Structure formats: structure tokens, C-alpha cells
Amino acid sequence: MRDGDIRVKTDIKYRALYNDMKKERAITDFHDLFFVCTCIGFSANERNCIERGDDRFWSNTISPTEWSCYYAMMMKLNDLELSSICDDRQVIATMQEYSNAGIELLIQDFLGDYLLPGTRDSEPQLDPSLAETLPVDFLYYILEQSEANNWVTLHGRYS
Amino acid sequence: MIIHKMTLNNFRQFRGKHEIEFVSLDDPTKNTAVVYGENGRGKTGLFRAMMFALYGERRLSQDANVPDNEIQLVNTSALQESEGKPVRTSVEVTFSHKGKVYNLYRAIEGMRHGDEVIEEIADVRLNITHVDGNTEIIDRRSIDSKIADVLDPRVKEYFLFDGEKIEQLTRAGKEQRRAISEGMRNLLRVDALDVAVKASERAAKSFLDDLTQETGTAGVELARLIKSLGDNEAESNRIRTRLEELADERDRAYRELEDIDKRLMEFKEIEHLLSERRQAESDVRRLEHDADQVMNQMQTYVCKAAALMVRDTVEEVFASLDEQKEKGEIPSEIRRDLIERIISEHKCICGNEVCEGTSEYESICRWLEKTSDAAREDVALDLWRFLAETRSHFEDDADIIKQRIIEHSNIIHRIDRLRDKVLSISKQIGESEREDSWKLEKIRKKHLEAITSIKAEIQNLESQAKELDSIHSRLTQQLDEEKRRKNRNSVLEERSLLAREIQEALAEAYNTYTSEVRDVIGKSATDVFGRLLDEEGKATLKTIVVKENYSLEVLDQYGQPFLANVSAGQRQIMSISFITALAMAACDGGRIEMPLFMDSPFGRLSGQHRKNIIREIPLLTSQWIILATDTEFRRDEAQALRMTGHWGKFFMLCASGDGNTTIKEYSVDDAYSILPREEEQV
């Protein structure tokens, strides 16, 4: 039985960005963005402690697929040791660090072009006038990160 | 209310004195009267006379664009003969209501002054004869309120209406929505609740001001939360109002666009271009909708795409667990707790003793090392199952996501191509040699720009409204926590909270009530609609809905909005159904105790619709007065009305040769022979 009572945190400076991503229809809810950032951070093998933690969402909103991936990442970090996934709070605490590094990479590689000028280093915020195609661009970016073979280059729009 | 008699004197076309007795004295069940006349004979004059007598109004809703000095009530022939002296014009109406008989007299005096006619109210009198036979003369200053008690002027147009105009109720403009909303509020007497809601808002604000000013740090958080909630609600209301205004502006711009297109279609040389452009624009709108749908789906694939980033890790962990499962390590062949018990009790399940140091004991200890505890095994098995499930979708997910991205990209390409096409056609139309054509084209372009900017503002406001809603729920949660945390020791805090709760409760009661009323009226209107529609209409149009913003909608057999596709006649039927439902609700769902005074109700209706209305309306209302033209009331309609058994009176408006009209009464039987047959009109 997974622990649904954990307040999952992100750094407070990403509060607006989480809200904006949801408002601009890039994600259905906050746990989506947290998961994406965790996967980015984990794939890049980068993790950062959160400086100023801010409650972002409850762990009961995390889907079974996301939990499975969090457990898999946790076991991979601990030489496939099953005992590493027995404490959900510990799992989430570790994922928070990957997510914190992942969101920085996301801004650096992708979201930077969609931000309001001057917000990047303080509290990043999306520029609504640039966000019209964000949902599809975001999905494309994630897919690109996950695939070595750049299949979409065949297609006009993304060539 | 039953209108018995109306007496006109020098009113509009009616030179001298004319009387119309609407009620059949020998048979009160015959509640329907028909006033028949060709166009220009004075039917609307009679309608105007009724409005003038009851409310002193010189203008009808259809006079919106007519200047005041062009509306003349005094008979023109009488004015000409008066040689500069004033002419008195009057209307006298006798009606009964709740056992009392009202006699209302209103007069104006008109005088020609050069080319202009000056009219002034000259007299108004009201006598009420009570059930006991005593007659009360009403003070002039109280007359309007006495009449308003019988039929509130704010809802008069629901009972006394122009059939040609009534279908406008179904146009979802701001004015129509306001008319419907006010009509519902007034007829159903929810004004008091409305006043209470507003008073509670004022009280809550006043207590909050006191709390903010007088408390120290103790009540500051509470005051802040209540104020933030109030500000949030005010801002939400402002946004909602603005959104309604924008929706109206957008609809108006679309209508104007349609009008321009219709006018442009008159230029034959560019007809083919217009038709091509209309098709391309319609395709763009459809594709934009499709693109938006696909865009909305994108967010549901985000997690699936992200999971692909850690695919290798998932595969590796799954392989490890699967291997352990294959080896029988999870679940282990023998449970760890069982082995531990054997070792601690030194006794096997077969009953034999297991002593330390023996080979059996050593074997059992080796088993113990291979097993895990039960909880850990459960976790491992769960994870094995979930990872198996997750990895089984990897290939499909990747394919589906790629397809969606390509699909979206294709749609965008097609939209771009179509937009280029529209631009090129518009350029050709704009370059047309006809000056009026390119002027219209310029106006059209402005409307299109306005629509784009309105759409952008709507989108922006909608997202602001969504954000405000989420802030509202967070603030409400915080306020609840604050309430629980503190023992209220300040009277001001208590009052402030109480006022807020009353405000919320009243607002909820108001919303619940109006929502239920909308529902009831919608159902009742649907019922009447079903009785009035012809067979073809019945097959498609199923339900009338009064929407949250008080606009009317009709749903088809699949429950989909269909209003945009209904004909003018069906809109008229829909409006009559809604008005009838509204009036029935005001009369507690029973028969309408008010006259329905309809000017030209059949103009846009098909034969079957006319017959249905004729059959049903006399059953729904206490009195029905029809002002009909020769083209809308013929032998067919007369026959249908006679069959109801409710037709009591027939009047004909006849030309008297000098531009005036006389009123002649005929028996219902005679009327039938006077009326034209359908083929005679053709």
C-alpha cells in the first residue's frame, strides 16, 4: 500500500512555473511535471537538494506508472536492493532531489525560450504569448529526450 | 386578469368612438377573441392602445428606431378638422382581476403646431369595484402601482407581445438574456431573496471593515482571509461579466460578418470567390477545433513520454525481479516466518525434532538466508506486476505519441495553407473594381481582427477565472482551518464570520432556487414545445434548456445544442413555449390567469404549427386575444379554432375610405364565411 499522505515538495521558486504549465495545458496536474523533471534529472544523473521547500502536491495524486518508475529508479540507485523502496517517504525525498535538478535542466534546454524576460533566475514564469504551442512542443521535447533515433526529423515542421 | 372591454376615442386610425367587447357574456368558457384585419388597418394600433391604457406608454418595443416625434396617437383626420384646437384621444379598458372589476381611463390631448403634432397626457382615472359592490376611486398617484399589482410592467411583454418580434428571445444576446433573467425574477417573486443576498453582502463587508480597523494582531489573519475571499469573488464576478460581454461582442461581430457576406454575394462577378472563401474559412474553423482537441490530448501523454526516458532502468529492474521470480526467490518456496518458527521451536512440521548442529538444522538455516520477509516479498511482487504493465505499453505509447504529434503538425500545415488561400482570395475581392465591394471587404477585415482579439481576451480571462477558482478553494480551506484553530473571543470576529456564513448560505439558496426554477421552466417549456411543434420538428427538437446565463437553447435527439439550425418559425414556437412556461410557473404551474394578447402570432408559422397553437393555447390561458392578418388567419385556422369550442368573439377592422378604420363585430359562424380560403389568397 503506497503512502498517499506525503506532501511532495519543490523549491518555492518554481511555484509560478508549475501553475503556468498547468494553465497553459502542458500538464494535467503538478505531479506530471514533477515526474518529467525527475526523469530528466535521473537520466542526466544529476540531483540537487531543495533550498526552500514548498508543498506542491499530495502523493495520492501520483499514478501507479509513476510510482513504478520511482521505485525502479530508487532500486537502480541502490544496487537493485528491494529494501530501498520500503519507505515511500525516503523514495519521494530522493526523487525530489532529482526533480529539482531536472527542472533546472528543463529550463536550460527547453523552457527558457518560453519564459517572461527577467524571470529565469528569480521565479521563472511562462510568457502566455509564447505558450500557444507549448503542449505539443513540450511533448515533443520529452519524446526527443527519450529516443536516440530522431524519427521526427523526417517531418517538415520539426526538420 | 380578464380584459372585458376596450373603448377607443380618436386613437390612431380609429376616428370617433369604437368599442370592443372581448368577453362572450353568454359563455365565459369561450375565452378566445380574434381581431382580424389587413396590414395597416390598425391591429398594432389596438395593441398600442392596450399598452397606453395600462401603462401610459406611447412606445412599443418595435419602435426602438423611431424618433419620438414620429409616434402619434391622436387620430390624424380629427386633428386636421380641429383647425388648431386640441383633440382629446382616450382609451378606456375594463378588466377583472381576483373578483374586482377595474375601469381604467387614460387620455392625451394632441394639437397640430405647424408640421409637428404635440401630444400631452391629459387625464388618467381608475375605479375599482370590489366584490361587495362598492366602487373605490383610486388616487391618480396610486394608479400605476395598482396596475403594477395586477400585471407588473416589467413582465408585460410576456403577456402582451408582438409575435413577429418574440422569436428574438431565442437570440442569445445580452439584452435577451437580461430580459429572460428579469422576467424570471419578477414573475417568480425572487426579488426579495435578491435583496437579502445584497444586504448580507453589505453587512459582511461592514463587519469586516470593523474587524480590520479594531482588532489587534489576533484577528488579522481571519480578516485577511475573509477579505481575500471577498476580493477573489468580486474579481471572479467581474471576469464572468466581462466574459459574457465578450461573448456578445463576438456573436455580434459574427452576425455582422454574415451580413457583409450576404451583401457581398450580391456582386455576381465575385460570387465564386466569396463562396470559395466561405468554404476555406469554415474549414479553418473546423481544423482549429480539431487542433485544439489534439492539443488538449497532449497533456495526457506527458507522463507516458517521460516514462520512456527511464525505460532502460525499468527494464533492468524488471529483469532482476523477473529473474528472482524465475528462481523462486520471490515468492520464496517456504515462508520465512515458518522457517524461523522451526528453528526457534526446534521442531519440524512433521513432528521430528531439529537439533542445532545437525545437517538438517544447517540446511534449514541455509533456506532462511535465501528467503525474504513477507512484506518485502509483497513489495517485490507488486513492483514486478506494475513494471510488467508499464513496460508492456512502452512501444505502443511511443507510437501513439508520435502519431499525435504528426497529426497535430499536419493539421497546422493544412490550417496555414488554408489561411494563405483566404488571404489570396480576400486580396482578389478587395481588388475588385466595385468600390462598394472593397469597402465592405475593408469592414469585413476589421470585424475579423476584432473577433481574433476578442477570442484572445476570452482565452486569457478564462484562464484567469480558472486560477481564481483554484485560489478560492485554497482560501476557503485556509479559512476553515483558521476557524477550527481559534476559539473566538472577539465579538467582531464572531460577527464577521457569521455575516460571511449568512452571505454564503443566502447566495447558495439563491443559486439553488434559481437553478431549480430554470430547470422547472425548461421542463415545462419542453412540454409545451412538444405540444406545439409539428411532426418534423418533434423528431429533431427534443428539449428546451434555460442555460445558466439565462439564454435559451434547444437540444436535439442526441442531447446536442441545435438552436443555430432551427427555423424562424420554430424559434417563434420556442419563444411562445418559454413564455407560456414562465407564466405557468408564476401561476404555480396551473392555468395562466392572465390574458395572452398576441399581435400577428402566426406570420412565420407553418400550417401545422398554427393549428397546434390554436388547439393548445386556449387550454393554457384564461384569455387569448389574437390580432391577425388576412394572410395568417384563414378558413383553415378559423375551422381549427372553432373546433376547440373556445372561440367566442370575432372583430374585423375595415377601411372606412378616409384612411380611418372602423371595427365591425361578427358572430363566429358568420366570420367563417367572410374569411378567405387559402386558394383565394393564392
Side-chain angles (χ1 to χ4, degrees):
Chain A
M1 194 70 182
R2 291 181 204 92
D3 190 343
D5 276 338
I6 308 168
R7 297 305 301 264
V8 183
K9 292 178 193 299
T10 69
D11 195 295
I12 195 163
K13 72 175 180 175
Y14 301 121
R15 180 162 58 184
L17 189 58
Y18 267 79
N19 285 329
D20 288 352
M21 289 291 279
K22 187 174 169 184
K23 200 157 74 182
E24 297 299 342
R25 302 185 296 170
I27 52 171
T28 57
D29 222 331
F30 294 160
H31 66 95
D32 290 346
L33 182 57
F34 181 87
F35 179 62
V36 172
C37 294
T38 307
C39 294
I40 293 172
F42 186 84
S43 302
N45 196 24
E46 285 194 29
R47 57 197 282 190
N48 288 331
C49 289
I50 297 174
E51 282 178 23
R52 292 180 303 151
D54 185 38
D55 292 344
R56 189 64 51 232
F57 59 93
W58 288 99
S59 58
N60 62 3
T61 59
I62 297 172
S63 72
T65 302
E66 289 159 41
W67 272 118
S68 308
C69 293
Y70 292 147
Y71 289 147
M73 288 185 251
M74 194 68 181
M75 280 183 65
K76 168 83 175 164
L77 286 172
N78 292 279
D79 298 325
L80 305 181
E81 180 53 58
L82 262 172
S83 59
S84 64
I85 63 167
C86 288
D87 180 359
D88 283 345
R89 284 179 191 275
Q90 187 54 47
V91 173
I92 292 296
T94 307
M95 297 304 129
Q96 283 174 177
E97 292 182 9
Y98 280 109
S99 181
N100 197 36
I103 198 164
E104 268 307 312
L105 292 170
L106 179 67
I107 292 168
Q108 196 178 302
D109 292 349
F110 172 72
L111 278 180
D113 295 339
Y114 296 83
L115 297 182
L116 278 173
T119 64
R120 183 174 178 149
D121 296 326
S122 50
E123 192 177 333
Q125 286 172 50
L126 289 180
D127 182 344
S129 66
L130 302 173
E132 199 187 346
T133 57
L134 181 64
V136 67
D137 296 345
F138 183 49
L139 189 60
Y140 174 72
Y141 167 79
I142 300 168
L143 200 64
E144 199 181 40
Q145 297 305 301
S146 66
E147 294 210 346
N149 52 333
N150 200 357
W151 60 273
V152 201
T153 49
L154 292 171
H155 203 268
R157 181 163 182 233
Y158 297 100
S159 61
Chain B
M1 180 189 187
I2 303 281
I3 301 168
H4 294 264
K5 191 167 84 174
M6 182 159 71
T7 307
L8 311 173
N9 190 18
N10 284 329
F11 191 90
R12 300 277 286 189
Q13 295 97 321
F14 302 96
R15 175 80 199 275
K17 195 171 175 182
H18 299 266
E19 269 187 15
I20 296 191
E21 193 112 32
F22 292 109
V23 173
S24 178
L25 294 173
D26 48 340
D27 187 354
T29 62
K30 293 190 183 300
N31 63 355
T32 302
V34 177
V35 180
Y36 172 89
E38 293 169 10
N39 285 329
R41 287 286 167 266
K43 291 185 305 302
T44 305
L46 288 178
F47 184 69
R48 201 181 283 275
M50 186 61 73
M51 289 299 212
F52 170 70
L54 290 173
Y55 303 107
E57 286 185 2
R58 299 173 71 246
R59 287 182 157 277
L60 300 178
S61 56
Q62 66 193 62
D63 299 328
N65 299 320
V66 183
D68 257 354
N69 59 3
E70 286 181 21
I71 297 173
Q72 184 189 319
L73 301 189
V74 183
N75 179 264
T76 307
S77 308
L79 270 175
Q80 274 170 352
E81 284 171 21
S82 69
E83 296 173 340
K85 290 176 193 161
V87 174
R88 179 167 275 233
T89 288
S90 65
V91 181
E92 189 175 351
V93 177
T94 306
F95 61 89
S96 59
H97 183 63
K98 294 187 177 169
K100 299 175 195 168
V101 177
Y102 293 66
N103 185 265
L104 176 64
Y105 172 88
R106 206 180 288 266
I108 54 168
E109 280 187 350
M111 199 168 76
R112 187 171 287 284
H113 186 77
D115 285 344
E116 218 180 328
V117 175
I118 298 164
E119 293 182 337
E120 277 180 7
I121 293 283
D123 195 9
V124 53
R125 295 193 297 262
L126 174 64
N127 299 335
I128 302 177
T129 304
H130 293 270
V131 185
D132 57 11
N134 288 321
T135 298
E136 180 189 5
I137 297 169
I138 305 299
D139 182 83
R140 187 174 174 156
R141 284 166 299 183
S142 309
I143 291 176
D144 286 348
S145 70
K146 288 282 179 194
I147 298 299
D149 286 345
V150 178
L151 183 57
D152 193 317
R154 291 172 298 181
V155 298
K156 63 179 184 295
E157 291 190 358
Y158 292 116
F159 297 99
L160 318 170
F161 62 84
D162 177 350
E164 294 283 323
K165 305 284 174 198
I166 198 67
E167 61 100 11
Q168 287 180 357
L169 264 185
T170 57
R171 309 279 176 201
K174 192 160 93 185
E175 292 306 318
Q176 282 70 40
R177 288 204 302 271
R178 188 179 296 144
I180 292 170
S181 141
E182 278 182 8
M184 283 176 59
R185 270 215 309 272
N186 296 332
L187 270 178
L188 304 170
R189 316 265 184 230
V190 291
D191 306 39
L193 194 51
D194 198 21
V195 170
V197 170
K198 289 199 169 74
S200 73
E201 281 169 7
R202 283 198 301 276
K205 186 176 180 313
S206 164
F207 286 130
L208 181 62
D209 288 346
D210 292 346
L211 182 66
T212 314
Q213 283 167 16
E214 293 185 22
T215 54
T217 49
V220 166
E221 181 58 9
L222 187 73
R224 187 192 70 78
L225 286 170
I226 295 176
K227 185 171 183 317
S228 302
L229 269 168
D231 291 348
N232 174 289
E233 284 156 9
E235 182 60 7
S236 287
N237 286 338
R238 190 192 66 76
I239 288 180
R240 266 188 270 277
T241 309
R242 180 68 190 139
L243 277 170
E244 281 186 13
E245 284 169 4
L246 285 170
D248 284 342
E249 280 175 31
R250 183 196 55 202
D251 294 347
R252 198 164 47 242
Y254 271 126
R255 279 200 296 276
E256 281 167 14
L257 218 55
E258 266 175 40
D259 285 347
I260 290 173
D261 281 353
K262 271 184 202 157
R263 285 160 67 190
L264 281 168
M265 284 302 274
E266 289 164 12
F267 309 132
K268 293 291 172 198
E269 62 270 29
I270 53 169
E271 199 178 337
H272 66 288
L273 290 172
L274 292 165
S275 148
E276 248 184 273
R277 178 170 70 181
R278 201 170 44 245
Q279 183 59 48
E281 283 177 341
S282 149
D283 288 347
V284 167
R285 278 197 295 276
R286 185 177 47 77
L287 287 170
E288 278 176 343
H289 175 75
D290 291 350
D292 203 49
Q293 299 274 80
V294 177
M295 189 75 98
N296 273 335
Q297 289 172 6
M298 295 293 178
Q299 55 186 346
T300 62
Y301 296 116
V302 160
C303 285
K304 289 174 179 165
L308 294 169
M309 274 193 260
V310 291
R311 184 176 183 166
D312 291 347
T313 303
V314 168
E315 294 290 5
E316 186 182 343
V317 173
F318 176 76
S320 158
L321 291 172
D322 199 45
E323 191 186 342
Q324 289 178 59
K325 198 166 167 288
E326 285 292 312
K327 285 182 184 168
E329 290 170 11
I330 48 168
S332 45
E333 288 161 348
I334 301 174
R335 289 185 66 94
R336 185 185 182 91
D337 48 357
L338 175 65
I339 300 172
E340 282 172 345
R341 203 179 73 210
I342 293 170
I343 292 172
S344 68
E345 290 176 2
H346 294 97
K347 199 175 214 176
C348 184
I349 47 172
C350 58
N352 293 333
E353 283 204 4
V354 182
C355 300
E356 282 183 45
T358 62
S359 61
E360 291 83 359
Y361 185 86
E362 293 304 321
S363 296
I364 291 172
C365 284
R366 277 198 297 279
W367 264 346
L368 183 62
E369 282 167 19
K370 280 168 68 180
T371 58
S372 312
D373 63 48
R376 196 176 296 183
E377 280 186 4
D378 289 345
V379 168
L381 278 175
D382 274 353
L383 184 57
W384 179 86
R385 269 196 296 273
F386 280 125
L387 289 178
E389 171 76 13
T390 301
R391 63 189 287 281
S392 72
H393 294 299
F394 278 149
E395 287 303 325
D396 286 348
D397 287 346
D399 286 345
I400 290 169
I401 294 165
K402 286 171 197 171
Q403 278 168 18
R404 288 287 174 272
I405 292 176
I406 290 173
E407 190 184 338
H408 183 265
S409 173
N410 285 338
I411 295 173
I412 297 295
H413 274 297
R414 285 163 66 196
I415 290 174
D416 288 346
R417 279 202 303 275
L418 281 165
R419 280 191 181 138
D420 287 346
K421 186 177 173 183
V422 169
L423 272 178
S424 149
I425 297 173
S426 297
K427 201 169 163 227
Q428 290 177 58
I429 295 170
E431 282 166 356
S432 161
E433 285 174 8
R434 300 233 358 202
E435 191 186 344
D436 38 7
S437 155
W438 67 253
K439 272 186 182 165
L440 281 173
E441 194 55 30
K442 259 171 82 177
I443 301 170
R444 189 180 194 279
K445 199 176 163 198
K446 275 190 183 165
H447 284 312
L448 278 175
E449 283 165 4
I451 289 170
T452 310
S453 122
I454 290 169
K455 276 183 177 173
E457 194 179 344
I458 287 178
Q459 200 176 3
N460 184 26
L461 286 175
E462 278 174 347
S463 74
Q464 279 184 43
K466 215 170 158 188
E467 177 67 14
L468 282 169
D469 284 348
S470 100
I471 292 173
H472 189 274
S473 49
R474 202 166 63 230
L475 286 170
T476 309
Q477 202 180 347
Q478 284 174 8
L479 184 64
D480 287 344
E481 282 168 17
E482 185 67 15
K483 278 189 221 166
R484 275 197 300 272
R485 193 161 57 238
K486 286 198 166 181
N487 289 322
R488 304 260 76 83
N489 47 18
S490 148
V491 176
L492 275 174
E493 283 178 38
E494 282 287 5
R495 280 184 186 166
S496 209
L497 277 175
L498 193 60
R500 163 110 200 134
E501 279 164 16
I502 291 170
Q503 184 193 346
E504 283 174 348
L506 278 172
E508 196 184 331
Y510 184 85
N511 289 338
T512 309
Y513 181 64
T514 49
S515 150
E516 280 173 8
V517 164
R518 277 201 310 272
D519 199 33
V520 166
I521 290 177
K523 282 182 182 146
S524 179
T526 301
D527 178 44
V528 178
F529 196 43
R531 288 154 72 177
L532 299 184
L533 272 178
D534 57 18
E535 290 307 316
E536 193 191 336
K538 270 185 211 168
T540 326
L541 308 174
K542 293 294 178 191
T543 316
I544 292 180
V545 178
V546 185
K547 294 201 289 190
E548 206 172 339
N549 68 359
Y550 290 100
S551 59
L552 297 183
E553 181 56 89
V554 63
L555 307 180
D556 65 11
Q557 67 267 45
Y558 309 109
Q560 295 302 310
F562 204 73
L563 185 61
N565 308 309
V566 305
S567 67
Q570 286 169 330
R571 279 178 186 270
Q572 198 172 340
I573 292 284
M574 191 176 155
S575 299
I576 290 173
S577 306
F578 169 71
I579 286 175
T580 312
L582 198 59
M584 283 162 73
C587 303
D588 293 328
R591 187 182 159 100
I592 305 165
E593 294 302 327
M594 288 286 170
L596 285 178
F597 199 102
M598 297 185 188
D599 186 7
S600 308
F602 303 133
R604 293 166 187 257
L605 303 182
S606 65
Q608 188 58 52
H609 281 150
R610 291 178 191 197
K611 281 181 186 162
N612 291 351
I613 285 196
I614 287 168
R615 190 184 64 235
E616 296 295 336
I617 298 287
L619 303 173
L620 294 169
T621 180
S622 57
Q623 186 180 27
W624 189 24
I625 298 169
I626 309 166
L627 307 176
T629 64
D630 51 341
T631 55
E632 58 181 334
F633 194 78
R634 299 152 307 181
R635 284 193 185 182
D636 274 0
E637 285 77 27
Q639 177 62 16
L641 187 57
R642 203 155 61 162
M643 296 284 282
T644 65
H646 291 286
W647 188 12
K649 291 280 189 170
F650 179 81
F651 303 93
M652 184 177 262
L653 304 180
C654 307
S656 61
D658 49 0
N660 292 313
T661 296
T662 54
I663 304 171
K664 289 182 184 167
E665 182 174 355
Y666 293 90
S667 73
V668 167
D669 291 335
D670 288 346
Y672 186 74
S673 58
I674 294 167
L675 290 167
R677 291 190 184 90
E678 198 166 354
E679 60 271 23
E680 285 171 352
Q681 285 181 349
V682 176

